[in-house]
Amino acid sequence: MQKTLNIISTILVLIGAALIGGTLGALSSSGLNLPLLISGIVVVVVGFTIMILALVFVKYKKNRSSLKVEYVGTKEETIAKIENFLKQNGFELVQYNDEKVYQSGKGFWVSRKYIKYEITDTELNLEYWIGIGMGSKPGEEMPIDNKFYGLAAKNQVKGYIDTLVALVQNKLTK
């Protein structure tokens, strides 16, 4: 839904800009075409309005990879291992919609990578994904798979998860 609205709003803004540009470009030869100029402005405003409404009101669908593993040791020791590992690898606890997750990367030059964990008395539940979006708002979620788009970031997250699992199962000593 978000992607579709972004495409529609971008097309509208481009059409509106072309109308405005065409009107202003022809200004010296044929005079001001006021209806065309107003149409261009309206189309641009509608495009930007759709873009803003989509950013504010459209909730992103959760599209994450998940994994459940048994851990070795106490719950407190495991939490300490996880927290230390995430901190050492540049993850920070952030507010992501209505939940707290760990994020690495800001999304402009470096892809945003996310890890969320919940722990029970015997099991560690992990959710992990990369985010595609603009600004500080959560973007479209992409699970960690073998599809080409975002492959480098996906491979990084996969490496983090593999190491984290080995760490909580005492197969590593970090």
Side-chain angles (χ1 to χ4, degrees):
M1 176 75 159
Q2 176 72 34
K3 193 180 288 186
T4 303
L5 290 175
N6 283 340
I7 291 169
I8 291 170
S9 63
T10 301
I11 291 170
L12 287 174
V13 169
L14 290 174
I15 290 170
L19 289 172
I20 293 169
T23 301
L24 297 177
L27 184 62
S28 61
S29 62
S30 63
L32 181 63
N33 186 343
L34 194 57
L36 193 58
L37 178 65
I38 291 172
S39 298
I41 292 170
V42 168
V43 172
V44 167
V45 168
V46 169
F48 278 121
T49 303
I50 291 172
M51 190 180 300
I52 291 167
L53 291 174
L55 286 172
V56 172
F57 293 111
V58 173
K59 293 289 185 188
Y60 292 96
K61 181 179 103 179
K62 289 184 178 181
N63 195 10
R64 305 172 179 179
S65 296
S66 62
L67 180 65
K68 293 182 181 193
V69 296
E70 290 184 17
Y71 59 88
V72 176
T74 67
K75 185 175 180 180
E76 292 74 23
E77 291 171 340
T78 303
I79 290 172
K81 284 181 184 179
I82 295 168
E83 297 285 333
N84 188 41
F85 174 82
L86 292 171
K87 186 176 182 180
Q88 285 179 350
N89 287 283
F91 283 85
E92 297 176 1
L93 188 62
V94 297
Q95 186 68 36
Y96 182 91
N97 288 333
D98 58 349
E99 58 190 331
K100 295 272 190 182
V101 301
Y102 287 87
Q103 175 183 334
S104 173
K106 299 295 181 191
F108 189 72
W109 295 110
V110 178
S111 295
R112 290 186 275 189
K113 296 169 275 300
Y114 296 96
I115 296 176
K116 178 183 175 186
Y117 77 90
E118 294 175 357
I119 193 163
T120 67
D121 288 335
T122 60
E123 193 172 63
L124 171 64
N125 301 315
L126 294 165
E127 290 183 352
Y128 46 99
W129 66 99
I130 63 170
I132 309 298
M134 295 172 53
S136 61
K137 285 190 63 75
E140 182 178 342
E141 295 181 1
M142 296 185 74
I144 307 307
D145 54 24
N146 292 326
K147 293 182 181 173
F148 180 74
Y149 190 77
L151 191 59
K154 291 176 183 179
N155 285 338
Q156 276 187 313
V157 175
K158 180 74 171 119
Y160 290 137
I161 294 302
D162 290 345
T163 305
L164 191 56
V165 167
L167 185 65
V168 300
Q169 292 180 336
N170 281 344
K171 295 178 182 173
L172 285 180
T173 54
K174 275 194 177 179

